[in-house]
Amino acid sequence: MLHPFDHPAVSRLILLALEEDLGRGDVTTLATVPPDREAAGRITAKADLTVAGLPLGERILKLLGATAGFRALVAEGSLVKRGEVVAELWGKAATLLVVERTLLNFLQRLSGVATLTRRFVDAVAGTSCKIIDTRKTLPGFRLLDKYAVTCGGGSNHRLGLDDGVLIKDNHIALCGGVGEAVRRARRHASALLRIEVECTNLVEVQEALEARADIILLDNMTTPQIREAVQLVRGRALVEASGNINIERVREVAETGVDFISVGALTHSAPAADLSMTITTRS
Amino acid sequence: MLHPFDHPAVSRLILLALEEDLGRGDVTTLATVPPDREAAGRITAKADLTVAGLPLGERILKLLGATAGFRALVAEGSLVKRGEVVAELWGKAATLLVVERTLLNFLQRLSGVATLTRRFVDAVAGTSCKIIDTRKTLPGFRLLDKYAVTCGGGSNHRLGLDDGVLIKDNHIALCGGVGEAVRRARRHASALLRIEVECTNLVEVQEALEARADIILLDNMTTPQIREAVQLVRGRALVEASGNINIERVREVAETGVDFISVGALTHSAPAADLSMTITTRS
Amino acid sequence: MLHPFDHPAVSRLILLALEEDLGRGDVTTLATVPPDREAAGRITAKADLTVAGLPLGERILKLLGATAGFRALVAEGSLVKRGEVVAELWGKAATLLVVERTLLNFLQRLSGVATLTRRFVDAVAGTSCKIIDTRKTLPGFRLLDKYAVTCGGGSNHRLGLDDGVLIKDNHIALCGGVGEAVRRARRHASALLRIEVECTNLVEVQEALEARADIILLDNMTTPQIREAVQLVRGRALVEASGNINIERVREVAETGVDFISVGALTHSAPAADLSMTITTRS
Amino acid sequence: MLHPFDHPAVSRLILLALEEDLGRGDVTTLATVPPDREAAGRITAKADLTVAGLPLGERILKLLGATAGFRALVAEGSLVKRGEVVAELWGKAATLLVVERTLLNFLQRLSGVATLTRRFVDAVAGTSCKIIDTRKTLPGFRLLDKYAVTCGGGSNHRLGLDDGVLIKDNHIALCGGVGEAVRRARRHASALLRIEVECTNLVEVQEALEARADIILLDNMTTPQIREAVQLVRGRALVEASGNINIERVREVAETGVDFISVGALTHSAPAADLSMTITTRS
Amino acid sequence: MLHPFDHPAVSRLILLALEEDLGRGDVTTLATVPPDREAAGRITAKADLTVAGLPLGERILKLLGATAGFRALVAEGSLVKRGEVVAELWGKAATLLVVERTLLNFLQRLSGVATLTRRFVDAVAGTSCKIIDTRKTLPGFRLLDKYAVTCGGGSNHRLGLDDGVLIKDNHIALCGGVGEAVRRARRHASALLRIEVECTNLVEVQEALEARADIILLDNMTTPQIREAVQLVRGRALVEASGNINIERVREVAETGVDFISVGALTHSAPAADLSMTITTRS
Amino acid sequence: MLHPFDHPAVSRLILLALEEDLGRGDVTTLATVPPDREAAGRITAKADLTVAGLPLGERILKLLGATAGFRALVAEGSLVKRGEVVAELWGKAATLLVVERTLLNFLQRLSGVATLTRRFVDAVAGTSCKIIDTRKTLPGFRLLDKYAVTCGGGSNHRLGLDDGVLIKDNHIALCGGVGEAVRRARRHASALLRIEVECTNLVEVQEALEARADIILLDNMTTPQIREAVQLVRGRALVEASGNINIERVREVAETGVDFISVGALTHSAPAADLSMTITTRS
């Protein structure tokens, strides 16, 4: 449980994936490939991409109960070029064929998230602003998606509802205002947690500062509004910008001086990175 | 287990998602919202989209052990306009806040898949060609992703490695040719399964026909090649086209007379559909 | 998950079996056998039988978390004579005593199924008819029972409700006739699946042929009726005979020219094969 | 967990059985039966038999997550005649079709065990001897098989390795004789457990008596030997006879005065009881 | 999952407890109490105590699958006197007998923790110091033990390794000093978490202040040392005292002005609170 | 499953404990300790105590999936002095830090039980009376607590509701008296189980003897009453004393001649034994 991939939740997801694909067995391979045929596999990038997820290769084989081998040829987070081989496998052909799709599906997802994150991170290079993720991860992929974000050079916001206080629009509506919400959090939440609150205008930012919020999330503001808010805060709190900040606009937001920009699309809309596996008989 | 959402594998994924988000509890809500506050939630489309996944609302609440209510306001597969309310919830504010992100993450994923599928299906309207999915689903989402494809008007290819014989490039390489592979499958596979084989040129198509394949998958061919292959087959087998067939090109491929076009992007690269939830005190 | 015995469902059954037998521990062995005593075990056939299930020896020891060794002395599916030793074990006496009953219970079941299957297969030797099983397997034993049938020389019908279309009496009653049922299946079922339909008389067989069923199951017909049905079909579909076809009658049915005879008794009524284990101190 | 059928181990077995049969869904029913069709099912005995397992009907439907109803029409352990209806079901046709085979497989197994047990129990009627079972139950069926034995009028020997001390041949060999084994057990085993020991001749019986065994198991003795052993014991211990005591011989053994006869075949070789389900549209 | 008792981890512990106690069934009750006997139970305090855990009554019955009823008669955290009835149950006698020990074991544990906590909380009454717990909870009881502490009027320190940064002696030794450790934490840990560091003398406290730790834990200091440390800190950080602070000494420590006193004994050494259940026939 | 620590129930508890402590990861260690730092750990007794639970060290590391090493330096059940090192660990510093608290929590609990048990056992040294435990173990700890009792020199009463007949006050009340209860048990319970019954006065003891109870539990009697009861029984049954027998009184009760004294406090109120771990960089 020390590496995210060792967490029981990841094993549960891998098992789900293996079981849903394999069902009661690979009838095609059983019918067409001799059971003792030894083979080698190569995983190749079909486009430029940032790699994430290769250590899953070993975990998947282990959870499958297979004796095949897996070796990553590039480091996690590497930028690889189209045509580059990122990993090798070896073992029974039948094993490689069973594992192929599940492994690729994981790699394409994680590398897709890393690749998109890398674009955002590169876009703000040279500023002091960090690109961070959200809780808009795919169900079951929280740890994996957040890990892939770090492979792309991004940072993680809280991992769940329990490791950070983030007061959002719905909380504020339910308890009657930004100031009141922050004060309640300060009174009731763990002393070990900082308090972040979502603000949609400068009045709320002022209110949050007075209630001594630790972090202010500027939600769906224009870039000039964000700039103004940063000036209002003047270092008394950390500032996060969020809400429809796409690749075109991210740099101008970063240059306002916000500490963090959070981008839901990193994990809710990353297209798969293109990777494939070739399997050949091994003499 | 009669509806895909009742399958144990779906419950396992929902539980993973709830547990990874909630951790040991929602510290923000606990600190800011009175425990007995009753609230109502509305889920609204923030863009035009095809809805899929609403019945998960009830399953998620049940697996959370919550007593809150959920009602879908539109049918699965409906095309809804930006601003339309698709579902209502009611119950303790704390419950709605806990369930909000997980439910939205599922809905945004499934509706994203359905919305993209619908675009492909509409693009081939009027032809006899069916849009089908692949096994390039997100790990753990096989049943959900395939269900979402049907909500978008698509059809399903096999669900896993065990409910259809599909001989692919790697199998062919390992057993020495299309014809030999089909013959082995015919000899060894279950009498209840048809046999599909991947071909990359007309010579292989001819070989597949002679070995009496039931379905021929044309992989990564140009549209003229596909047209020629369809003419060669002349109804002696079903024909599926696959490989980088994007929305711009899908209609011209459909018009060649193929029976199926399979599109991996439906499930590996669908962007999230935009949906959000508003929670208000219920008097 | 590549060998049936590696499937998670089999591990779940083995764990159930170990846990139900061991409970909180083997009080007899604990009280009477020194904990460090090393021992050797031999599993002996007490009657002529066809062996199936020996690879479970290793799986059971592994799931028990035991370090004992297991070696099969004969191949799966072998015909062994009364008195022949089929496997050896070695390790702590306490381990062998704990594993003894569970391992034997599995071996006696699987070898029982294989032995009975072998009798049916031998009875039709020289015909082109295959002996196949049904879904009348013991709950939890689907994969194991079907595996044991192949050890006895039989073939497998579908593994479950999802890997083959088999329209039975109840379906036909519910949708108004053989022809209508086959037509619906052809329209709605996966293109990857063949369609089999149960018929109880020649009129239904004719109807099934006209609806282009791929396989016709003749249910509970007399041998002359079966012969007549085979002649009516004339190779336009595969033909399976089923229903109370016991060992006395199986050859005459096979000689009618049917492609398959399915026998529920192979798995619902196979008596246990007689095997026992002797454990002795190892110097 | 109060009725054996409520035990978690039984739920685990039922889930295994449902999942292995259903896989990803019932493709035949999906393709041929309208999803809203309501239906009624009747379970009928196809031969005279002793019923066991009907309460599983409700448990299976519940674990399937189905809303269908089930009602037993006869009491557990009843002797029913061929043609008698033993239970009714109602609900969606699709539900009944999914549950049909799994439910019947359980009922046929449990009723098979009960029916065979009843034959042995009837054979010793009028004597003071009880028919008891062994640990030769089907893996995963310990609680169910032992329950079925009681439905057939039999009694249960220990349920597992932990709720009774039974010193068998292998223990005796490992610790150097009947007397020594019993003395060790008396010293080390829980004060709450009686001590039973297997003897194969009168010398060992004598030894067991001297070591003050509570129960003596006469293994594989002839009827005259058993009679002699009973006389030797003279009430100083309970006496159990075991080993190849078939239905022909069971009465003469019972008449020797033994307290128990244990019969492995009750659970390792009981043929399935013949039951079937008819499903019809419900108006 | 909204109340701590609804968390999956708690259900897993309850199931463990029920299964380990019940095994294959309650043989005493089965043998002596008529199965249909209805009964009522009362849970009575046998000593003065602070109650915690009563809502578990309902959860345990539900997880047991029992239909019995449970009603708490006092609020969680109440101080009850010896002889007071704290809860009532009703249902089958057999159900109450099965649930008795498991329910009492939980109640005695949680009430024991609450009772001990209450003593510490009362001892510091009137000061601004809070009594908090540690991670020295019983394995598997983290959520329950921490909940019981709040029932006794205490507060919770972090719930696990992931929801708070607490730099302890071993971390400091491994990274070369208090200041360096705090600086690393500030650089690498989530922006949402405050940073607490363990100090054993005033030099380290000074170092921690300079590295801008948010919370300073004074470990195993004498009361005068603690007083001096509080004066040194002067509100620039929160201060926690820890290490062998027993009931005799806790008030003098509280009066030094520390914000928190953490007491491992609350959860690692609380004696069970004395509660018992009486079950009687209900007419 | 051969050692209590190998039982699946123990693994389930260890996993619960690891997961509840680790959550999504050790944020402190991640932020402050270099990931490749190798370290050594030593577990030291901080007070005189009887050790129990050291073999858990290896199990915990294995279930964590860690490659670190663990070596016990003293035998289970040893009496160790304050300052003595009882075990060593080595591996990545991050691993030792993660495992530290969970391992110590288990060791402190089990050694706490063993240490308290040892005090009672020593107090009755020289008598023939055995100190035994009860079912008042911590939920989830049945096997561990009972194992720790044996490490302290005590013996185990029944492990659960299924491996011993113990008729208690509530049973007696429900079935109308001691004699009737014993007679029912003798008629209905397994022949392999002895029958124990709780008596609160001499009249009940007499009744129990007449009904031929095997073991008589004297509940909450004074020492003279117990002495009188022992004389009344005169070896016709085993005698157990129970109910508030504390360390001051235990010897005088033992000297009455009872066979067993059961002490709930051994497991419901044992304070933790004081053990700690020091972790240092390993060159």
Side-chain angles (χ1 to χ4, degrees), chain A residues 6 23 46-47 53 70 80 129 140 155 157 160 201 207 260 269:
Chain A
D6 293 328
K46 312 286 281 185
F70 178 93
V80 300
C129 175
S155 298
H157 206 287
N201 56 50
E207 209 179 322
F260 310 105
S269 294

Side-chain angles (χ1 to χ4, degrees), chain E residues 154-216:
Chain E
S155 299
N156 294 147
H157 205 287
R158 61 178 176 166
L159 290 172
L161 290 165
D162 61 341
D163 66 334
V165 176
L166 173 43
I167 304 168
K168 307 198 68 176
D169 51 355
N170 284 325
H171 298 99
I172 293 166
L174 287 162
C175 67
V178 164
E180 174 60 13
V182 174
R183 278 186 296 274
R184 284 193 198 173
R186 191 159 289 286
R187 216 162 35 237
H188 298 301
S190 161
L192 290 161
L193 299 176
R194 290 217 171 76
I195 292 163
E196 175 167 13
V197 65
E198 191 173 297
C199 297
T200 54
N201 56 50
L202 293 185
V203 175
E204 286 184 353
V205 171
Q206 183 61 39
E207 209 179 321
L209 286 170
E210 283 164 12
R212 295 198 297 121
D214 298 298
I215 311 175
I216 291 173

Side-chain angles (χ1 to χ4, degrees), chain F residues 8-196:
Chain F
V10 173
S11 298
R12 284 161 65 187
L13 184 64
I14 293 174
L15 282 172
L16 256 181
L18 286 170
E19 292 176 20
E20 76 183 0
D21 193 37
L22 187 52
R24 304 188 193 79
D26 178 354
V27 294
T28 308
T29 299
L30 204 63
T32 62
V33 178
D36 290 332
R37 180 66 54 84
E38 294 287 325
R42 311 178 77 183
I43 300 179
T44 308
K46 313 285 283 185
D48 295 0
L49 51 83
T50 296
V51 175
L54 291 175
L56 283 169
E58 211 177 336
R59 265 81 173 183
I60 291 172
L61 287 170
K62 190 174 166 194
L63 285 168
L64 185 68
T67 52
F70 178 93
R71 180 168 43 228
L73 300 179
V74 298
E76 288 288 279
S78 305
L79 182 61
V80 300
K81 292 292 173 187
R82 177 176 177 169
E84 203 168 329
V85 179
V86 301
E88 297 173 331
L89 298 89
W90 56 96
K92 298 271 179 255
T95 302
L96 303 195
L97 286 160
V98 159
V99 93
E100 176 188 9
R101 189 73 263 142
T102 299
L103 175 51
L104 285 177
N105 285 349
F106 271 112
L107 288 182
Q108 292 185 248
R109 166 69 188 166
L110 270 66
S111 300
V113 171
T115 301
L116 183 57
T117 303
R118 172 58 60 196
R119 288 186 63 205
F120 277 85
V121 170
D122 287 350
V124 304
T127 72
S128 65
C129 175
K130 288 184 177 175
I131 298 297
I132 61 174
D133 50 32
T134 65
R135 281 167 51 240
K136 295 178 182 177
T137 52
L138 282 172
F141 280 73
R142 181 64 51 86
L143 288 172
L144 294 178
D145 277 1
K146 296 230 159 200
Y147 165 85
V149 164
T150 66
C151 289
S155 300
N156 295 149
H157 206 285
R158 62 178 176 168
L159 289 172
L161 290 164
D162 60 342
D163 65 334
V165 175
L166 173 44
I167 304 167
K168 307 197 67 175
D169 51 355
N170 284 323
H171 298 99
I172 294 165
L174 287 161
C175 67
V178 163
E180 173 62 12
V182 174
R183 278 186 296 273
R184 284 194 197 174
R186 190 159 290 283
R187 213 160 39 234
H188 298 300
S190 162
L192 289 161
L193 301 175
R194 291 217 171 75
I195 292 165
E196 175 168 12

Side-chain angles (χ1 to χ4, degrees), chain E residues 130-134 157 217 240-243 245 260-264:
Chain E
K130 287 183 179 175
I131 299 298
I132 61 175
D133 50 32
T134 66
H157 205 287
L217 185 161
E240 171 185 347
S242 187
I245 302 179
F260 310 105
I261 297 173
S262 57
V263 183

Side-chain angles (χ1 to χ4, degrees), chain C residues 75-214:
Chain C
E76 289 286 280
S78 305
L79 182 61
V80 300
K81 293 291 175 189
R82 178 176 177 169
E84 204 168 328
V85 179
V86 300
E88 297 174 332
L89 298 90
W90 56 95
K92 297 272 180 257
T95 303
L96 303 195
L97 285 160
V98 160
V99 94
E100 176 187 8
R101 189 71 265 142
T102 299
L103 175 51
L104 285 177
N105 285 348
F106 272 112
L107 287 183
Q108 291 184 248
R109 166 69 189 167
L110 270 67
S111 300
V113 171
T115 301
L116 182 57
T117 303
R118 173 57 62 196
R119 288 186 62 205
F120 278 86
V121 170
D122 288 350
V124 303
T127 72
S128 64
C129 175
K130 288 183 176 174
I131 298 298
I132 62 175
D133 50 31
T134 65
R135 282 168 49 239
K136 295 178 183 176
T137 51
L138 281 173
F141 281 73
R142 182 64 50 86
L143 289 172
L144 294 178
D145 277 0
K146 297 231 158 200
Y147 165 85
V149 164
T150 66
C151 290
S155 299
N156 294 148
H157 206 287
R158 61 179 176 167
L159 290 172
L161 290 165
D162 61 342
D163 65 335
V165 176
L166 173 44
I167 304 168
K168 305 198 67 175
D169 51 355
N170 284 325
H171 298 99
I172 294 166
L174 286 162
C175 68
V178 164
E180 174 61 11
V182 174
R183 277 185 297 273
R184 284 192 197 174
R186 190 158 290 283
R187 215 161 37 236
H188 299 301
S190 162
L192 290 161
L193 299 176
R194 291 217 171 77
I195 292 163
E196 175 167 13
V197 64
E198 191 172 297
C199 298
T200 54
N201 56 50
L202 293 186
V203 174
E204 287 184 352
V205 172
Q206 182 62 38
E207 210 178 322
L209 286 170
E210 283 164 11
R212 294 196 298 119
D214 297 298

